[in-house]
Amino acid sequence: MRDYCKFYIMQFKNKVYEKPKDRKLMIKFGITHHSDAMHRFDPKYDDGYVKDYSDWDIKCLYSQNFFGEHARIFAEELERYCLHEKFPPETFKVWVEDYLNIDNKRKYDNSGITEIRLLTFEEVKQTIESLKSQLTEQELKMKALKRKQLLEETA
């Protein structure tokens, strides 16, 4: 068992195919062992499989760290809650190729983005606010510090 795991919420925007004008966001809930959730989608970080996200703009909207012996279990439980209870597949899941009207229905089969949820801005915002409201003061301070560091790195 790992003693660290990260839950994330990513927004995906395809750079190649035009998105329907429905004001919905393509959202992926997931977990990773990387301390920076964006490394999950970066080909420079070898996870034992090919990563090609060149067609995508990917933005991390939220992430939460889990530590300790059961870190992965807690992160997986949060992912399961988002994917199956809060935004169940019967109502919110979209096949990327169908949504973007791509002829090749297997274009993104090996991308790892098969669990995309189609959500409104408000649904995403409320989910993030709800998750943040459950964080401790120390966790909020750590998130603010990390955000500041990332801004300084990109300046």
Side-chain angles (χ1 to χ4, degrees), residues 138-149:
Q138 181 63 27
E139 289 170 320
L140 290 170
K141 285 180 184 177
M142 292 301 290
K143 283 183 116 9
L145 179 62
K146 181 69 174 172
R147 191 175 311 110
K148 181 181 176 191
Q149 289 171 342

Side-chain angles (χ1 to χ4, degrees), residues 35-130:
S35 58
D36 181 338
M38 290 301 293
H39 293 175
R40 156 68 177 82
F41 304 98
D42 188 334
K44 289 184 276 183
Y45 296 87
D46 184 5
D47 287 318
Y49 56 89
V50 176
K51 298 179 186 181
D52 180 7
Y53 298 99
S54 57
D55 287 1
W56 300 94
D57 280 325
I58 305 170
K59 181 179 179 184
C60 185
L61 303 178
Y62 178 83
S63 66
Q64 185 173 340
N65 297 312
F66 292 90
F67 298 96
E69 181 181 354
H70 303 292
R72 184 174 182 90
I73 293 169
F74 292 133
E76 286 175 342
E77 179 57 26
L78 185 52
E79 178 188 34
R80 186 201 61 74
Y81 168 76
C82 289
L83 289 174
H84 297 284
E85 290 182 39
K86 187 152 181 72
F87 303 111
E90 308 81 40
T91 308
F92 295 94
K93 183 174 178 175
V94 63
W95 291 106
V96 172
E97 293 85 354
D98 290 340
Y99 181 63
L100 296 176
N101 202 25
I102 300 170
D103 290 334
N104 177 359
K105 298 303 180 193
R106 302 190 66 125
K107 174 132 179 88
Y108 297 114
D109 271 6
N110 297 319
S111 66
I113 56 168
T114 56
E115 286 288 338
I116 292 288
R117 296 297 189 262
L118 210 51
L119 306 175
T120 65
F121 173 81
E122 200 57 39
E123 288 168 327
V124 175
K125 180 181 169 196
Q126 288 173 356
T127 300
I128 292 171
E129 287 173 357
S130 173

Side-chain angles (χ1 to χ4, degrees), residues 13-29:
K13 292 180 183 176
N14 194 283
K15 298 184 282 188
V16 178
Y17 298 95
E18 190 172 333
K19 179 187 162 314
K21 302 198 181 329
D22 58 5
R23 302 187 60 141
K24 300 277 182 143
L25 306 175
M26 288 190 291
I27 301 296
K28 175 172 175 32
F29 300 96

